[in-house]
Amino acid sequence: MPPKENQALRGFTLIELLVVMAIIAILLSIAAPRYFSHVDKAKDTTLKQNLSVMRDAIDKFHADTNKYPAALEELVAKGYLRRIPVDPITEVNGAWEIVPPVGSDGDVGVFDIHSKAPGTGHDGVLYSEY
């Protein structure tokens, strides 16, 4: 049905659209930095948890066999880990720094593990020192 002559066409004006776009831009400028800082904190927390789980598996392996695993893959093969976790900072599966045991008993293998990720976390500690 065509509009009558005295009935005005309805719609948004350019000013109204610009005001709405400005409000959306302001809200995004407030929300975006918070979102990205929370993502970074979540990656830090995930890295710490992954390292804790792998260190616990290494300790349990050592307690059961009285030796350290030769590689992280041995923990997976023996059922101590389901899979080797991905480093959430580098997003690479093999980005772990292996620390061999130090001692006179001739033990070789994986004594400890650290991240090879460059940079520092939100707490100011280097990722490689977690």
Side-chain angles (χ1 to χ4, degrees), residues 14-84:
L14 181 61
I15 298 296
E16 291 170 331
L17 290 174
L18 288 175
V19 168
V20 169
M21 295 296 285
I23 291 171
I24 291 173
I26 290 170
L27 291 174
L28 283 175
S29 69
I30 292 170
R34 288 183 177 204
Y35 170 76
F36 288 114
S37 72
H38 285 297
V39 169
D40 291 341
K41 286 181 185 178
K43 285 183 178 183
D44 288 355
T45 303
T46 303
L47 175 62
K48 288 178 184 179
Q49 181 64 28
N50 286 350
L51 288 169
S52 175
V53 167
M54 287 192 293
R55 287 173 178 152
D56 185 51
I58 291 168
D59 291 343
K60 287 178 181 177
F61 184 92
H62 185 263
D64 291 345
T65 63
N66 204 24
K67 65 177 184 128
Y68 290 104
L72 292 176
E73 291 78 16
E74 188 174 357
L75 294 172
V76 175
K78 301 276 176 128
Y80 289 91
L81 291 174
R82 289 188 184 190
R83 66 184 185 289
I84 299 171

